[in-house]
Amino acid sequence: MHRCGVRQHDLAGDVAWCVFTQPEIAKAGLSERQARIDGTHVSVTKHLIRANPRAVMEGETDGMIKLLSDPEDGTVLGGAMVGLRASEVITTVALAVYAKLNVQALAETAAVNPSMSESLQRAAEKAAEGMLGVSRVTLTS
């Protein structure tokens, strides 16, 4: 029991973490693997980092963001990111999980342009629209 009266395992799933590699790897909330193990039905929405203007500007376009949500009401259950500044973007996912926000709330929150947060917003927009899969964007140099 945490001294604030919250059971420790209730906190562990919502804690964001990051591995500071190149590119960074970050996660918060429920993972797709854990959802399968638990038998939890989730919607999984992905967005490629190469579609992000900030990543293109910085020449670091490898990676992806994944957002897991409840297929019934769109509540954000978790997410993961591999890519530029994943350690910063994942904090918003952790907040959404903790506050039980739905994907519509993330989609309607304007991200600074250009920023890596736009990738989270795009994933949330696709989730809110019911679109699954990876976005395909052709960038020319």
Side-chain angles (χ1 to χ4, degrees), residues 31-60:
S31 69
E32 198 171 355
R33 180 178 181 272
Q34 191 60 51
R36 275 195 302 274
I37 291 169
D38 296 346
T40 304
H41 296 286
V42 296
S43 291
V44 179
T45 307
K46 300 174 184 175
H47 186 75
L48 295 176
I49 299 302
R50 72 174 177 226
N52 182 288
R54 182 65 181 255
V56 172
M57 287 170 50
E58 299 211 17
E60 295 189 39

Side-chain angles (χ1 to χ4, degrees), residues 98-109:
Y98 177 79
K100 298 180 180 11
L101 298 178
N102 63 32
V103 292
Q104 190 68 38
L106 288 179
E108 292 174 357
T109 302

Side-chain angles (χ1 to χ4, degrees), residues 81-133:
M81 181 175 171
V82 175
L84 178 67
R85 298 198 172 116
S87 58
E88 297 171 16
V89 175
I90 206 67
T91 303
T92 303
V93 176
L95 175 63
V97 170
Y98 177 79
K100 298 180 180 11
L101 298 178
N102 63 32
V103 292
Q104 190 68 38
L106 288 179
E108 292 174 357
T109 302
V112 172
N113 178 287
S115 72
M116 294 309 296
S117 296
E118 287 181 282
S119 290
L120 176 58
Q121 185 180 19
R122 297 298 165 266
E125 287 171 354
K126 287 195 279 186
E129 294 170 2
M131 297 171 58
L132 299 178

